[in-house]
């Protein structure tokens, strides 16, 4: 029996999927016109080389869809400007940086790129999975995305991890409050640090985080324990992600440093605004998702989707007007649907 599976939820305006290893989410997929991600990891595109920075064996290309990608070439093998290429995306755009790609043989049309299949192929590199659909999957998918967007994660044995991203690195702190464990200081440090190292690795994979990571371990951290913590981190990450990873044993100050290759755009950059809250587009998607689920449960009901003002305004560039969006939903799912501003400033589905 396969203990790992990909749960998939497909809606009118988005597709979400989560890969689970047992009960634990270890990878996410999201696709929507409302939250465009640009060039997706693992997809292959036709492109043209337009610029080559001096002193680098690489250049900036433009795909058929008009998106920029930086492609690195073998030393001394950079083609001339204007050359047509086929490139595979090896890292999505993130942190204001363009997507990165590598040249591949053959020709490909952008219409052939399938981000979901590319994601499934990467998942299969590290874990055997089966796909599952249906309403039973919705709550588990919701919870996985909520966890990936949370700054605090509860450890299985008690206590929490707190993750904070900065322009330079991702810092992870361990909070042992709430942990009930009758053990000496050294035994407690060992149990907490090993658990935290493994959970940190899984969270980094789940959230799509890369670059430099620093985990502040609980003292005391002996040399022997430091080696165990490093191994626990590396083993946990490699069990759920094919990305390159390296780590150092905790320093005398108890800081484990790790370096992870970038791949997918971090999930918080997709869903959150600059203040750390759900973006208006993400709120609109949440409302449409809840509306569609309610229609499935009550097909004959007259429903109103009430949105915060910013999410309501986000309809304009997407669909032109709330009435037009309501009409699109109605044509697919049934009549008696309205969309309006919420007087309470939150996403609500109201039965009229």
């Amino acid at each position: 029996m396969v203990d790992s599976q990909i749960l998939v939820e497909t809606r009118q305006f988005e597709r979400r999927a989560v890969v689970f290893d047992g009960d634990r989410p270890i990878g996410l997929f999201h696709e929507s016109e409302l939250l465009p991600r640009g060039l997706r990891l693992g997809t292959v595109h036709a492109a043209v080389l337009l610029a080559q920075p001096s002193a680098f064996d690489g250049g900036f290309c433009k795909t058929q869809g008009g998106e920029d990608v930086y492609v690195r070439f073998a030393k001394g093998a950079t083609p001339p400007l204007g050359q047509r290429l086929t490139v595979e995306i090896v890292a999505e755009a993130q942190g204001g940086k363009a997507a990165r790609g590598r040249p591949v043989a053959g020709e490909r049309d952008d219409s052939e790129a399938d981000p979901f299949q590319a994601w499934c192929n990467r998942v299969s590199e590290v874990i055997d999975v089966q796909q599952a659909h249906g309403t039973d999957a919705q709550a588990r998918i919701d919870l996985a995305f909520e966890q990936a967007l949370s700054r605090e994660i509860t450890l299985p044995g008690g206590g929490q991890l707190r993750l904070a991203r900065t322009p330079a690195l991702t810092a992870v702190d361990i909070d042992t409050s709430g942990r009930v464990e009758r053990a000496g200081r050294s035994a407690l440090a060992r149990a907490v640090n090993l658990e935290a190292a493994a959970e940190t690795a899984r969270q980094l994979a789940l959230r799509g985080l890369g670059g430099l990571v620093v985990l502040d371990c609980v003292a005391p951290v002996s040399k022997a324990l430091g080696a165990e913590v490093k191994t626990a981190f590396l083993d946990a990450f490699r069990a759920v992600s094919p990305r390159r990873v390296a780590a150092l044993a905790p320093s005398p100050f108890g800081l484990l440093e790790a370096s992870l290759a970038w791949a997918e755009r971090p999930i918080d950059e997709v869903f959150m605004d600059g203040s750390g809250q759900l973006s208006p587009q993400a709120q609109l998607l949440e409302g449409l998702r809840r509306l569609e689920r309610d229609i499935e449960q009550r097909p004959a009901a007259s429903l109103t989707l009430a949105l915060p003002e910013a999410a309501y305004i986000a309809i304009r560039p997407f669909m032109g007007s709330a009435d037009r969006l309501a009409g699109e939903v109605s044509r697919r799912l049934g009549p008696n649907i309205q969309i309006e501003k919420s007087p309470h400033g939150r996403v609500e589905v109201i039965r009229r």
Side-chain angles (χ1 to χ4, degrees):
M1 178 179 180
V2 177
D3 192 34
S4 304
Q5 59 182 187
I6 295 174
L7 302 185
V8 183
E9 181 182 27
T10 302
R11 297 277 167 202
Q12 184 172 8
F13 299 105
E14 71 174 344
R15 175 161 53 176
R16 300 190 303 166
V18 180
V19 57
F20 286 87
D21 183 14
D23 293 330
R24 181 180 290 120
I26 59 172
L28 306 175
F29 176 85
H30 185 270
E31 185 176 46
S32 173
E33 298 174 72
L34 267 167
L35 293 174
R37 298 267 294 262
L39 300 170
R40 298 300 294 264
L41 183 65
T43 58
V44 179
H45 304 263
V48 177
L49 180 62
L50 295 181
Q52 181 189 0
S54 59
F56 290 96
D57 290 304
F60 287 95
C61 300
K62 187 81 72 175
T63 67
Q64 288 179 334
E67 297 176 286
D68 294 325
V69 54
Y70 181 78
V71 178
R72 189 175 294 278
F73 303 99
K75 187 176 178 72
T78 302
L81 296 182
Q83 178 72 45
R84 295 185 179 276
L85 307 167
T86 302
V87 298
E88 179 184 1
I89 306 305
V90 298
E92 296 179 5
Q94 56 82 25
K97 298 178 181 178
R100 299 199 309 274
R102 67 179 183 90
V104 295
E107 297 183 0
R108 193 69 59 92
D109 187 275
D110 279 16
S111 63
E112 300 176 40
D114 185 348
F116 181 66
Q117 188 57 53
W119 179 76
C120 291
N121 292 342
R122 289 195 308 279
V123 168
S124 66
E125 292 180 30
V126 292
I127 190 168
D128 292 327
V129 293
Q130 61 182 355
Q131 288 192 35
H133 302 256
T135 56
D136 292 342
Q138 295 173 4
R140 295 183 68 192
I141 292 174
D142 286 345
L143 188 59
F145 274 85
E146 289 171 11
Q147 184 183 106
L149 292 171
S150 173
R151 294 181 179 178
E152 297 184 352
I153 298 297
T154 300
L155 292 169
Q160 291 184 319
L161 290 179
R162 295 197 174 109
L163 290 84
R165 289 189 65 195
T166 74
L169 55 81
T170 297
V172 186
D173 180 60
I174 306 171
D175 181 357
T176 59
S177 60
R179 191 177 182 103
V180 179
E181 196 162 341
R182 295 181 179 180
R185 190 161 169 249
S186 295
L188 175 61
R190 182 178 186 276
V192 172
N193 288 328
L194 291 176
E195 199 173 285
E199 188 59 35
T200 296
R202 286 188 287 266
Q203 289 299 321
L204 295 170
L206 180 69
R207 297 161 188 249
L209 295 174
L212 183 62
V213 177
V214 175
L215 170 64
D216 186 7
C217 298
V218 174
V221 183
S222 65
K223 186 175 181 179
L225 176 56
E228 286 188 85
V229 172
K230 170 187 170 181
T231 298
F233 176 87
L234 291 173
D235 287 349
F237 189 83
R238 288 167 177 159
V240 297
S241 174
R243 283 191 280 157
R244 296 190 312 276
V245 59
L248 301 176
S251 70
F253 294 107
L255 302 178
L256 179 147
E257 297 177 50
S259 176
L260 289 72
W262 286 104
E264 294 175 291
R265 187 181 178 196
I267 197 70
D268 61 345
E269 289 189 17
V270 177
F271 282 86
M272 312 294 270
D273 61 18
S275 66
Q277 303 298 315
L278 279 180
S279 69
Q281 294 82 4
Q283 291 179 13
L284 174 55
L285 264 184
E286 178 189 347
L288 291 169
R289 190 184 315 126
R290 289 169 57 178
L291 177 65
E292 190 167 343
R293 289 177 180 177
D294 275 26
I295 292 171
E296 290 171 351
Q297 295 174 4
R298 299 176 290 182
S302 297
L303 301 175
T304 296
L305 172 59
L307 297 167
E309 184 174 6
Y312 187 84
I313 293 173
I315 295 173
R316 294 174 189 167
F318 173 58
M319 194 64 72
S321 70
D323 288 343
R324 184 177 176 187
L325 178 57
E328 285 293 319
V329 176
S330 296
R331 275 189 285 276
R332 182 172 181 267
L333 303 173
N336 304 320
I337 295 169
Q338 294 181 7
I339 301 176
E340 60 186 34
K341 293 180 186 178
S342 169
H344 308 112
R346 61 176 182 265
V347 175
E348 301 174 282
V349 177
I350 303 166
R351 186 172 185 174
R352 302 194 304 275

